[in-house]
């Protein structure tokens, strides 16, 4: 009589949140198994290396299977990966020419981001509303940033404001 140890699929590890176009690799402390994905159109996995590619937004369950032998059943372990769409900062608009002491407001076609000024000595901007105040003559780049989630990087868009000196009547 030959007694064979039951297969063990082990405990899976690896990053579970990736962005479309991103990747992660699941690993397993054991060996001899193969990987499969429940949804290859969202996140296919390399059957031998565990390398996963983010193709479309959604979730997919990855399964590591060790084939049983000598009457033992297969052993499996699963881990889910979530693929997120990258954020967009949208299209920026607003009056780009103001006077010292003057004001303008920049907007984006996408909500939920925050504004910042590249040169607060020239122009300041309200982080939430996009309201700009001219401080001194010159140009300043205003940046609108939408925070990335689910393994995606932040998205930013910029727009320049020119602050002019008010004319003098003499």
């Amino acid at each position: 009589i030959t007694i064979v140890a039951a297969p063990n699929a082990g405990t899976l590890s690896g990053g579970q949140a990736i962005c479309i176009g991103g990747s992660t690799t699941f690993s397993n402390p054991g060996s001899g198994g193969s990987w499969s994905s429940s949804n290859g159109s969202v996140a296919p996995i390399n059957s031998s290396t565990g390398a996963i590619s983010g193709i479309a937004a959604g979730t997919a369950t990855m399964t590591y299977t060790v084939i049983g032998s000598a009457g033992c059943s297969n052993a499996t372990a699963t881990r889910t990966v979530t693929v997120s769409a990258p954020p967009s900062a949208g299209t920026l608009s607003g009056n780009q020419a103001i006077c010292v002491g003057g004001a303008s407001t920049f907007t984006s076609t996408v909500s939920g981001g925050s504004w910042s000024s590249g040169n607060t000595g020239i122009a300041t901007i309200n982080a939430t509303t996009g309201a700009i105040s001219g401080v001194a003559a010159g140009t300043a780049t205003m940046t609108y940033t939408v925070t990335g989630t689910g393994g995606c990087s932040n998205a930013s868009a910029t727009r320049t404001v020119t602050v002019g000196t008010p004319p003098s009547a003499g």
Side-chain angles (χ1 to χ4, degrees):
I1 295 177
T2 304
I3 299 175
V4 177
N8 182 353
T11 302
L12 308 182
S13 61
Q16 292 181 271
I18 58 175
C19 196
I20 291 174
S23 64
T24 189
T25 300
F26 280 1
S27 60
N28 182 303
S31 62
S34 63
W35 295 94
S36 62
S37 171
S38 68
N39 194 342
S41 63
V42 168
I45 189 167
N46 181 295
S47 63
S48 60
T49 66
I52 303 165
S53 300
I55 303 297
T59 60
T61 300
M62 303 303 157
T63 303
Y64 186 74
T65 304
V66 178
I67 304 297
S69 62
C72 293
S73 299
N74 294 348
T76 61
T78 61
R79 188 167 174 90
T80 301
V81 67
T82 300
V83 180
S84 300
S88 167
T91 302
L92 307 183
S93 60
N95 184 8
Q96 292 180 272
I98 61 175
C99 236
V100 171
S104 180
T105 299
F106 282 179
T107 60
S108 173
T109 55
V110 173
S111 62
S114 63
W115 293 95
S116 63
S117 172
N119 189 340
T120 56
I122 300 294
T124 61
I125 190 165
N126 181 290
T128 305
T129 66
I132 301 166
S133 297
V135 176
T139 60
T141 300
M142 303 300 166
T143 302
Y144 185 70
T145 302
V146 176
T147 303
T149 59
C152 295
S153 299
N154 295 346
S156 295
T158 60
R159 188 165 174 89
T160 302
V161 64
T162 301
V163 180
T165 305
S168 172

